[in-house]
Amino acid sequence: MSGWETVIGLEVHTELRTETKLFCSCANRFGDEPNTNVCPVCLGLPGSLPVLNARAVDYAVRIGVALHCQVQPSIFHRKNYFYPDMPKDYQISQYDLPIDTDGWLELPGGKRVGIERAHLEEDTGKTTHVGGGGRIHDADHSLVDYNRAGVPLVEIVSRPDLRSADEARAYVDELRAILVATGASDGKMEEGSLRVDANVSVRPVGSTAFGTRCEVKNMNSLRSLGRAIDYEVARQVRLVEGGGEVVQETRHWNEAEGHTSSMRSKEEAFDYRYFPEPDLVPVVPDPAWVDGIRAALPAMPAELRRGVAHAAGMAPESDAVVTVVRLGLEPFVTATVAAGADAGLAVRRLANEVASEIGSLANLGPEQFVTLLRMESAGDLTTAQARTVLKDMLTGGGDPAGIAAAHGFEALGGDALEAALDEVVADNADAWARYVAGEDKLQGLFIGRLRGATAGKADLAAAAAILRARRAAGC
Ligand code: ADP
Ligand code: MG
Ligand code: ZN
């Protein structure tokens, strides 16, 4: 794609974790028996009236504050269109006066992505097409579940600031972490709690004007978002390089076949005939209430990364730091710092051994974790032994000293270590002479042989120090 720049803006719909729906008291719950959480309001029966859910507004404000938006007075509109999963034949949404405007989100690498707006709206029901390929055209029949109709959503619209599929994925990943941190969303993409539409265009490198965009729908994982964008960019570049033109349209991502296809063009776009919802009053958040919500928000992921990175002496965007915060493991780092143990070692162990057994995290207490780090730092356990003990702590629980004793682990140090080194040196006399003469890289050979000779029990850090000392002494 050389010579072309990708431009992406994302629209993310997040379901809010309220007990009830946006305008009625039906339960907001995923996975219930279809059409059991319904009432005259969310079924759109004549004469029923919506009543706004205060908790949903609270969550929308939390999202706005976390994304550095202005929280402003807003009103609801009716967005009119016909589809079987929308019983009222209109969706109550916000249009020209959304509750949150003009914010930003910071990616782990430091780039700021603009947030144009975030607004409240209700979800539609869910249609399942049975038979054929699961699409409406070739289905035998369709089933509709109205349990989701009226579930509160916040739609978050980014500015066209993203420049690659990787950046788009990083944005959604960060946004999801922020939404979960605010308590507004459970972030479960696999349950449809987070749904992403991608607006994609290309332009010649150096151009400041935007190209014509296509909006791609139906990606249900970060992986398919990345694939869909890569496909769409390649398609548009091929089209333009072949003398054609991108037409503005909505396209559908086909996960199984790995391509996008046209759903509807600009000409076929719905005319939604927006007008103000007459059954609801404007929402005017009291600034003092908004300030209270701001003050009560917990630390967001970017701030947590900075804290962990600082403690560990690492960069905030490093994979280990990002992983520790994504998995909510920063309390272990805090405990390590409080105990005066090695926070860098803590982050490495958390991002590797603990992250790979994250399902067993409940077995690991911060105090035991810190004790293990101490044993390793003091040379009572080798790195290999510490890893084994930590795996056992995660899978079965228990204290590190007990587990180490049960394994017969004891780092080989002191005289025993010196003796083991004597043997390794004697067995590799040639290499030793070259090492003493200045071939630094041979140190790895001695360490490797030592590890083998002691079945992994040698304290390798201590051994390396002894090797250097002996070489400096010229023997
Ligand atoms: P619509 O109401 O049709 O969805 P918006 O102007 O609200 O249109 O834009 C929707 C999304 O499209 C936003 O996320 C925005 O950043 C993005 N966008 C706008 N223009 C472009 C473009 N040329 N290329 C890529 N994304 C774009
Ligand atoms: Mg759109
Ligand atoms: Zn209802």
Side-chain angles (χ1 to χ4, degrees):
M1 303 306 136
S2 78
W4 294 94
E5 181 176 52
T6 302
V7 174
I8 304 159
L10 297 181
E11 296 166 79
V12 175
H13 289 83
T14 180
E15 286 181 352
L16 302 180
R17 281 181 54 217
T18 53
E19 293 285 316
T20 56
K21 294 187 181 181
L22 187 52
F23 300 116
C24 63
S25 57
C26 291
N28 168 20
R29 214 161 36 223
F30 179 82
D32 278 8
E33 177 79 9
N35 298 311
T36 52
N37 299 324
V38 292
C39 76
V41 175
C42 55
L43 289 177
L45 301 189
S48 63
L49 288 171
V51 177
L52 180 59
N53 181 334
R55 178 56 67 85
V57 180
D58 178 302
Y59 284 152
V61 172
R62 289 192 210 184
I63 291 171
V65 169
L67 296 176
H68 314 93
C69 292
Q70 308 278 15
V71 178
Q72 62 172 16
S74 61
I75 63 168
F76 288 99
H77 271 73
R78 288 189 185 180
K79 180 177 181 180
N80 298 277
Y81 64 101
F82 174 80
Y83 201 76
D85 63 15
M86 208 176 49
K88 291 200 296 281
D89 285 350
Y90 60 84
Q91 178 191 27
I92 304 180
S93 181
Q94 297 188 317
Y95 182 50
D96 52 353
L97 282 175
I99 184 160
D100 304 319
T101 63
D102 199 18
W104 50 268
L105 171 155
E106 187 182 316
L107 300 182
K111 171 169 173 161
R112 279 191 186 182
V113 180
I115 305 291
E116 201 170 293
R117 54 186 276 148
H119 66 258
L120 270 165
E121 63 185 23
E122 57 180 340
D123 208 345
T124 60
K126 191 168 168 35
T127 321
T128 307
H129 304 296
V130 182
R135 304 264 321 258
I136 195 165
H137 323 288
D138 39 16
D140 294 329
H141 59 277
S142 297
L143 298 168
V144 63
D145 175 10
Y146 292 116
N147 282 353
R148 201 179 70 180
V151 162
L153 297 176
V154 166
E155 176 177 346
I156 300 150
V157 183
S158 86
R159 296 198 189 280
D161 289 347
L162 299 159
R163 292 292 175 269
S164 67
D166 279 350
E167 251 181 37
R169 284 209 313 262
Y171 168 86
V172 174
D173 202 34
E174 185 69 10
L175 179 57
R176 174 168 58 180
I178 291 170
L179 293 170
V180 172
T182 62
S185 165
D186 63 19
K188 292 183 185 164
M189 265 184 117
E190 66 282 7
E191 291 186 4
S193 300
L194 211 69
R195 306 195 289 272
V196 183
D197 300 334
N199 295 271
V200 181
S201 66
V202 297
R203 63 181 175 187
V205 168
S207 153
T208 50
F210 287 128
T212 305
R213 73 190 151 102
C214 290
E215 182 174 352
V216 186
K217 292 184 176 291
N218 191 46
M219 291 82 64
N220 48 21
S221 66
L222 289 184
R223 184 168 173 272
S224 60
L225 172 66
R227 288 179 71 207
I229 291 172
D230 283 339
Y231 176 88
E232 189 54 25
V233 168
R235 185 189 72 86
Q236 292 183 13
V237 168
R238 215 182 312 120
L239 196 62
V240 180
E241 284 187 341
E245 244 175 47
V246 175
V247 289
Q248 188 171 336
E249 62 184 355
T250 306
R251 297 179 68 85
H252 181 270
W253 168 248
N254 185 320
E255 176 70 26
E257 290 167 23
H259 64 75
T260 64
S261 54
S262 182
M263 271 171 80
R264 55 179 177 264
S265 68
K266 199 178 176 186
E267 288 71 43
E268 297 161 313
F270 297 122
D271 172 5
Y272 292 118
R273 296 172 291 118
Y274 279 100
F275 64 88
E277 165 61 64
D279 292 334
L280 289 165
V281 295
V283 180
V284 184
D286 179 348
W289 182 61
V290 174
D291 287 343
I293 289 176
R294 181 178 287 114
L297 272 190
M300 290 296 121
E303 189 185 334
L304 294 175
R305 283 195 298 270
R306 277 191 285 273
V308 168
H310 178 75
M314 296 176 177
E317 70 273 20
S318 62
D319 287 348
V321 172
V322 171
T323 301
V324 164
V325 173
R326 284 286 180 267
L327 296 176
L329 297 174
E330 65 282 347
F332 288 90
V333 180
T334 309
T336 304
V337 172
D342 183 346
L345 181 61
V347 168
R348 291 198 301 278
R349 289 283 167 275
L350 291 167
N352 294 296
E353 285 74 25
V354 177
S356 63
E357 298 282 347
I358 197 69
S360 310
L361 187 65
N363 290 330
L364 188 70
E367 280 175 23
Q368 296 162 333
F369 176 71
V370 172
T371 303
L372 175 73
L373 296 177
R374 283 233 168 88
M375 290 168 71
E376 184 180 347
S377 298
D380 298 341
L381 291 174
T382 65
T383 297
Q385 290 171 341
R387 288 201 175 116
T388 304
V389 172
L390 182 52
K391 285 235 144 93
D392 283 7
M393 289 164 75
L394 281 160
T395 47
D399 80 293
I403 294 172
H407 277 286
F409 284 167
E410 219 181 319
L412 199 61
D415 289 348
L417 181 61
E418 298 266 0
L421 267 176
D422 286 343
E423 271 188 41
V424 171
V425 169
D427 289 348
N428 299 278
D430 257 19
W432 180 252
R434 280 157 51 208
Y435 175 62
V436 172
E439 263 188 68
D440 281 352
K441 65 178 198 301
L442 285 172
Q443 176 158 319
L445 176 140
F446 291 105
I447 296 289
R449 296 280 153 86
L450 180 69
R451 186 194 288 125
T454 61
K457 287 190 179 180
D459 180 343
L460 299 180
I466 295 171
L467 284 172
R468 282 192 295 270
R470 286 190 183 185
R471 182 176 67 171
C475 50

